[in-house]
Amino acid sequence: MTESLEQIAKAMVAPGKGILAADESSGTIKKRFDAINTESTETSRRDYREFMFRTTDAMKNHISGVILYDETIRQKAADGTPLVDIIKAAGSIPGIKVDAGAKPMAGFPGETITEGLDGLDERLAEYYKLGARFAKWRAVIDISPVIPTNACIEANTEALARYAALCQKNGIVPIVEPEVLMDGDHTADRCFEVTETTLRSLFNALARHNVLLEGTILKPNMVVSGKKCATQAGVQEVAEKTIKVFKRTVPAAIPGIVFLSGGQSDELATAHLDAMNKLGPLPWALSFSYGRALQAAPQKAWAGKKENVAAAQKAFAHRAKMNSLASLGTWKADLEKA
Ligand code: 5MM
C-alpha cells in the first residue's frame, strides 16, 4: 500500500518519537571521527551507523525516522543486509538529505545559499526507489549586526519551497530546515527577530509553491542566545520565546516541528524540548531531529572500537529515551543520573 504524504508526516511525529539526524556529509563525519581518534573510511562510517540502527529497542520505541546521507542509503551492513532494511525492520522510516550544502552567496559576504535543485526531481525518484519516504534540506541563516539580508532569507526560503514541492511530487515528505545559527554574540531577542522573519518568509514561499502543509515537517532552531552572548537565556525563557515565535508564524496545518540541536549540549537540548512541551497543548507535535545531541555520547563511548559497541548503544538508547520523554513533556533532570 502506498502511504500518503499526510500519513508519513504523521508517523514521523508519532507520540514519543523523534528523528535521528545521521546525515553528516563526508567532511562533517570526518570531523566527528577525528575528535574520537577514528579514521573515517567507508567501513568505519558503516560500522558506526550500523550499531545505532541495530539498537533495536531505542529505534522501535523512540526513533520514528533516520535521515541518511547518499552513501548510507546505498550501504549494506557487515552481514550484507541493506542498512535501509535494518531501519525499516525496527519500524522506523528511512529519510535522505538531498541538499548539496550551503555555499557562499555571490554578492553577499558572510552569507550562504543552499544548493542542490538541479536534477533534484530525478534524484528524488531514485531515493524513493531506494526506500526514502522523507527528505531534508537545510538552509543556513547567520546573524551579525549586518546580516542576514532579506536577499539571503528570500533566496533560501524560495529554494526550500521548490525542494518541498519536488519532494511531494515524488511521494516524499519534505523536512524544511531553515537554521538560524547560534554562533555569535547576539541576544535571544535578536534570534527571535531573525527566526520570525525567516519563518514568515518560509511559509509565504511554501504557499506560493502550492506545498501541502499537512505533508510537510518543519525543522527549526530554538530561540536561544548566541553562544558568545554575555547573558544566556534560561530554559524557561528559551521555551517561551520559541513557542511565541511559532504561534506567530507556523500554521496549525503543519503536523509536527522537529528541532535541530545546533550545538547545544545534550542535556540542554532535552531540557528545552521538555520545557516547550510542558507549555502545551500546542497545535503541532513538538519533537526532535537531533544530530549532535543524540550522537555525541555514543560517539565518545564507541571511540571507533568494536569492544565498546555495547556501551555506545547504551549511551545512544539513553539519549533517545530522554528525548522521547521530552517530546511528551515528561522528562525530569534526575532521570539523567539514572
Ligand atoms: C547531521 O548534520 C547535518 C548537517 O550535515 P552537513 O553539514 O555535513 O551537511 C545537519 O543538517 C543536521 O541534520 C541538523 O542540523 C541537526 O543536527 P544538529 O547536530 O544541529 O542537531
Side-chain angles (χ1 to χ4, degrees), residues 20-29 31-32 49 67 69 97 99-102 136-138 177 179 219 259-264 289-295:
L20 165 64
D23 59 313
E24 298 84 356
S25 51
S26 308
T28 306
I29 196 75
K31 252 196 268 166
R32 307 275 182 263
R49 285 164 172 151
I67 316 174
Y69 185 54
K97 181 231 293 293
D99 65 66
K136 192 204 81 174
W137 177 290
R138 172 172 171 258
E177 180 181 6
E179 176 173 5
K219 175 164 174 170
F259 290 100
L260 59 96
S261 58
Q264 299 178 33
S289 172
Y290 294 159
R292 283 163 285 181
L294 274 173
Q295 297 184 60

Side-chain angles (χ1 to χ4, degrees), residues 4 12 21 28 44 70 77 102 105 120 132-133 145 161 175-177 180 203 218 240 267 278 282 296 314 322 333:
S4 69
M12 288 165 69
T28 306
S44 66
D70 182 76
M105 183 158 147
L120 182 57
R133 290 298 174 269
I175 294 186
V176 288
E177 180 181 6
V180 176
F203 284 99
L218 174 67
E240 283 168 11
E267 223 176 294
K278 286 192 163 83
L282 300 164
K314 218 170 142 194
M322 293 299 102

Side-chain angles (χ1 to χ4, degrees), residues 92-108:
S92 193
I93 310 168
I96 181 78
K97 181 231 293 293
V98 299
D99 65 66
K103 306 282 158 65
M105 183 158 147
F108 293 87

Side-chain angles (χ1 to χ4, degrees), residues 88 124-133 172:
K88 287 204 262 185
L124 285 165
E126 192 203 356
Y127 286 137
Y128 186 95
K129 283 194 200 132
L130 289 170
R133 290 298 174 269
I172 288 181

Side-chain angles (χ1 to χ4, degrees), residues 59 73 111 132 156 177 276 284 299:
M59 291 287 295
I73 201 170
E111 297 192 286
N156 273 294
E177 180 181 6
M276 283 187 254
W284 345 260
Q299 271 163 18

